[in-house]
Amino acid sequence: MRESAAHGPVPPAATASFDAPGGLAEPEGYTPTQRDLPVINRGDTVQVPVTPAPAPAPVLNNPEGPGPLFVVGDVHGYLEELLAALRAQGIIDAEGQWIAGNTRLWFLGDFTDRGPDGIGVIDTVMRLSAEAAAAGGYCKALMGNHELLLLGAKRFGDTPVNSGAGTATFQAAWLLNGGQKTDMERLEDHHLQWMARLDAMEEEDGHLLVHSDTTAYLDYGDSIEAVNDTVRETLTRNDANECWDLFRKFTKRFAFRDDNGADAVRELLNVYGGTRIVHGHSPIPYLLGEVGSEEAEEGTGPVVEGPHVYADGLAIAMDGGVTMAGKLLVRPLPLTA
């Protein structure tokens, strides 16, 4: 496994506020996995060497219309893995520069926490956005629950919020969910402004792009524009309890996995448009019930070869589980296999 599942220290306020396995707890409404996602020990981050990929062929572009569409799953601070995956798809060159012309690239959120260089990931996405725009394409990103968590931890710290089950704080939740001290130390105003302006959902070529596999988006509006406006307005008001409720709802997961999962997808598609939903958030090994073990031998982590299509073919999961020795996925849409 790439990282330990051991949690770092959690402030005293958190121990009274949470009730999760191992003595820590999650906020009310927080939906953990069977064994919540691994968290790196702060100060003991393991850097995994990534073998450079051969020089890729640049993405072929159609100058007469929109370029190819790609989506990126949860990165969680694994910058080297991200760069390797983008190179393998011909989107960047060996120096990390955009070479994909008018290609359209969407990140599905969760840039920080658990991995070693979340701020480096954000800086890279911001840089590629400028380079892609100059080349006639674009690189855009959605709001994930970890962006909300980092914003909350920076803005509100240990300010108590109404979790519905006692006192909770953003700071405690951020630590519980893999917050990295180095990310907080390097966080600057322009990073905060960028995160606070991210859209929550978008539709591209019939694909409804969201971060979380939840129907909670319906609580924020009956159109894509309304949801995005409501989320931004909530963050602008800077009310700790409102922001906590937004974070709590974005942590919900598995709405598309069980017997009624296809109906849940159809409900979102009927309201917001599109013919398929594409999401991150829930790692594919958990959706498949392939839960890793921290006692597993090196190289025996979950095997993820590509996106997971499920819910009667209506949902595509893109979180390959990079935090648990899975794979960071960058794939073109529509899927060809």
Side-chain angles (χ1 to χ4, degrees):
M1 296 281 293
R2 181 175 290 131
E3 59 187 74
S4 166
H7 297 294
V10 176
T15 57
S17 310
F18 297 90
D19 186 21
L24 297 176
E26 64 267 6
E28 187 224 353
Y30 173 76
T31 310
T33 49
Q34 297 178 31
R35 173 179 61 79
D36 203 4
L37 303 182
V39 176
I40 292 178
N41 285 323
R42 279 153 294 284
D44 189 26
T45 296
V46 177
Q47 292 277 7
V48 178
V50 178
T51 303
V59 174
L60 296 177
N61 297 297
N62 173 15
E64 303 299 325
L69 174 63
F70 285 78
V71 289
V72 184
D74 300 35
V75 183
H76 280 300
Y78 284 95
L79 178 58
E80 292 305 315
E81 285 81 351
L82 171 63
L83 295 175
L86 292 173
R87 283 194 296 266
Q89 292 289 354
I91 294 172
I92 62 173
D93 62 17
E95 285 71 46
Q97 305 299 308
W98 181 273
I99 56 171
N102 65 350
T103 290
R104 298 167 292 159
L105 180 65
W106 273 99
F107 285 80
L108 300 180
D110 278 9
F111 302 103
T112 67
D113 304 336
R114 300 196 171 96
D117 194 3
I119 299 303
V121 170
I122 291 176
D123 284 338
T124 297
V125 177
M126 294 175 71
R127 174 178 58 80
L128 289 178
S129 296
E131 293 178 7
Y138 62 70
C139 170
K140 299 183 180 182
L142 294 181
M143 173 80 70
N145 60 301
H146 282 262
E147 282 67 68
L148 292 168
L149 186 56
L150 185 56
L151 282 166
K154 181 65 173 180
R155 289 181 178 182
F156 307 116
D158 287 320
T159 300
V161 295
N162 181 16
S163 71
T167 302
T169 72
F170 271 105
Q171 177 73 10
W174 176 69
L175 288 171
L176 181 69
N177 286 277
Q180 301 292 297
K181 181 181 178 181
T182 52
D183 282 347
M184 187 63 76
E185 290 172 344
R186 296 164 58 201
L187 190 62
E188 299 182 23
D189 286 345
H190 68 277
H191 299 128
L192 294 167
Q193 293 168 7
W194 181 80
M195 287 190 291
R197 294 170 182 164
L198 294 175
D199 285 336
M201 62 189 338
E202 194 50 79
E203 188 269 332
E204 289 281 0
D205 297 354
H207 298 90
L208 182 63
L209 309 179
V210 298
H211 173 69
S212 305
D213 45 328
T214 177
T215 59
Y217 295 93
L218 296 167
D219 294 344
Y220 293 95
D222 58 4
S223 70
I224 290 174
E225 182 179 11
V227 171
N228 291 334
D229 287 346
T230 301
V231 170
R232 274 192 289 268
E233 289 165 4
T234 300
L235 294 174
T236 299
R237 283 193 294 272
N238 210 34
D239 179 276
N241 286 312
E242 278 192 309
C243 291
W244 179 266
D245 191 58
L246 182 62
F247 160 68
R248 179 181 64 85
K249 288 178 178 176
F250 269 52
T251 65
K252 293 178 181 290
R253 63 173 89 245
F254 300 148
F256 316 144
R257 185 183 64 173
D258 299 323
D259 291 343
N260 297 322
D263 291 336
V265 176
R266 291 188 184 98
E267 183 179 15
L268 289 174
L269 296 176
N270 288 338
V271 172
Y272 300 120
T275 56
R276 259 185 169 180
I277 198 163
V278 183
H279 70 85
H281 190 47
S282 291
I284 291 170
Y286 284 95
L287 289 168
L288 297 174
E290 298 171 358
V291 180
S293 168
E294 54 266 37
E295 287 81 26
E297 295 180 3
E298 186 70 21
T300 61
V303 177
V304 176
E305 296 299 335
H308 174 49
V309 180
Y310 67 117
D312 292 350
L314 297 174
I316 301 173
M318 283 291 301
D319 184 352
V322 66
T323 66
M324 51 193 298
K327 180 179 291 187
L328 201 162
L329 297 177
V330 178
R331 290 292 187 274
L333 293 177
L335 296 182
T336 57

